[in-house]
Amino acid sequence: MGFVILLLLTFSTLPLSSSDPNDEACLTQLSQTLKDPLNNLQNWTKSTFANPCSGFTSYLPGATCNNGRIYKLSLTNLSLQGSISPFLSNCTNLQSLDLSSNSISGPIPQDLQYLVNLAVLNLSSNRLEGEIPQQLALCAYLNVIDLHDNLLTGQIPQELGLLARLSAFDVSNNKLSGPIPASLGNRSGNLPRFNATSFGGNKDLYGYPLPPMKSKGLSVLAIVGIGLGSGLASLVISFTGVCIWLKITEEKMAAAEEGKIGQFMPDY
């Protein structure tokens, strides 16, 4: 009996479990940069951020816990606005981030590079702008990068082709430009390959596996053909002119010779 009482007293002196301070900062900052016009995240409060997990149990809608840490955030199709906080990188145990099908704007934070355990990044169907951060290549465990249907500009970073685990990649329907990196468009070996649907809908993006770009003007062959045709026509006209000039000159010379002969002919 005395042992049981001693054991209870020991556990009573242990501190109550609390969230990781990094997770708390991550969630706090994210809630401040996101706007929730439909109040779908009404339980996202400061008091909940202080203790969002209990083992594998989550007290936050859209969050999944693993051993007391946030390891998955799925806030899809909630009409969210605002921007993505760079302090999201404080959720260092995060393995999946899905903010798809909202109206989130602004850039993709470069600080996402510090989510070293991230395997899934889905920011599709939003209003994200700016360039795709090349720093995402530092997230070595990334399996999925889905950024389709945004307003992203610039070129696709060739560094993303270094992600050996990347099995799904979609940047279609943006405003990207320039060549598709061969490390993504024409992968070799056993690496998964991505077809044209992963890159379509970007007017100024080109390269394999997209079909060749249609010329906006005359083709090179057409220009050469026109040049050759014009040159040939000019040559024919010039040659004809020379022939006419020679003919006229010859006739004048013949007439002059006849005049000279007539002067020396005797009269009978």
Side-chain angles (χ1 to χ4, degrees), residues 8-157:
L8 291 173
L9 289 173
T10 301
F11 278 109
S12 67
T13 59
L14 293 175
L16 295 175
S17 62
S18 60
S19 72
D20 185 283
N22 288 326
D23 283 358
E24 184 176 356
C26 162
L27 297 169
T28 300
Q29 294 292 333
L30 183 61
S31 67
Q32 291 176 355
T33 58
L34 288 179
K35 297 179 181 179
D36 180 24
L38 301 183
N39 202 28
N40 288 310
L41 303 179
Q42 55 183 336
N43 291 338
W44 279 54
T45 60
K46 187 175 181 179
S47 59
T48 312
F49 298 153
N51 190 21
C53 297
S54 178
F56 294 92
T57 303
S58 169
Y59 302 116
L60 284 175
T64 304
C65 298
N66 183 14
N67 289 328
R69 294 290 309 276
I70 299 289
Y71 93 101
K72 182 178 180 180
L73 280 176
S74 181
L75 306 175
T76 66
N77 199 25
L78 297 176
S79 300
L80 299 177
Q81 301 174 3
S83 60
I84 302 173
S85 170
F87 291 97
L88 186 61
S89 60
N90 284 328
C91 286
T92 53
N93 202 48
L94 198 64
Q95 297 180 30
S96 177
L97 176 62
D98 189 348
L99 302 177
S100 62
S101 301
N102 286 293
S103 298
I104 301 172
S105 57
I108 299 174
Q110 296 181 5
D111 290 36
L112 294 185
Q113 64 180 298
Y114 300 116
L115 297 175
V116 295
N117 295 306
L118 194 64
V120 175
L121 177 63
N122 188 350
L123 305 177
S124 63
S125 299
N126 278 288
R127 297 176 182 174
L128 296 173
E129 302 170 329
E131 299 185 353
I132 301 172
Q134 65 182 27
Q135 291 85 350
L136 290 178
L138 297 176
C139 301
Y141 291 102
L142 271 173
N143 293 315
V144 176
I145 297 179
D146 192 350
L147 305 175
H148 76 264
D149 286 282
N150 277 288
L151 304 171
L152 299 171
T153 55
Q155 298 188 7
I156 301 174

Side-chain angles (χ1 to χ4, degrees), residues 155-219:
Q155 298 188 7
I156 301 174
Q158 60 180 0
E159 291 84 355
L160 299 183
L162 301 175
L163 293 168
R165 298 172 183 260
L166 194 62
S167 59
F169 183 78
D170 193 346
V171 292
S172 61
N173 299 319
N174 278 282
K175 297 183 177 181
L176 299 172
S177 59
I180 297 173
S183 57
L184 286 169
N186 192 17
R187 307 183 97 192
S188 59
N190 296 323
L191 295 175
R193 300 191 178 188
F194 313 118
N195 56 33
T197 58
S198 295
F199 305 97
N202 293 281
K203 186 175 64 172
D204 296 320
L205 193 65
Y206 60 89
Y208 187 84
L210 290 177
M213 295 181 68
K214 294 182 179 179
S215 176
K216 296 180 180 179
L218 293 173
S219 66

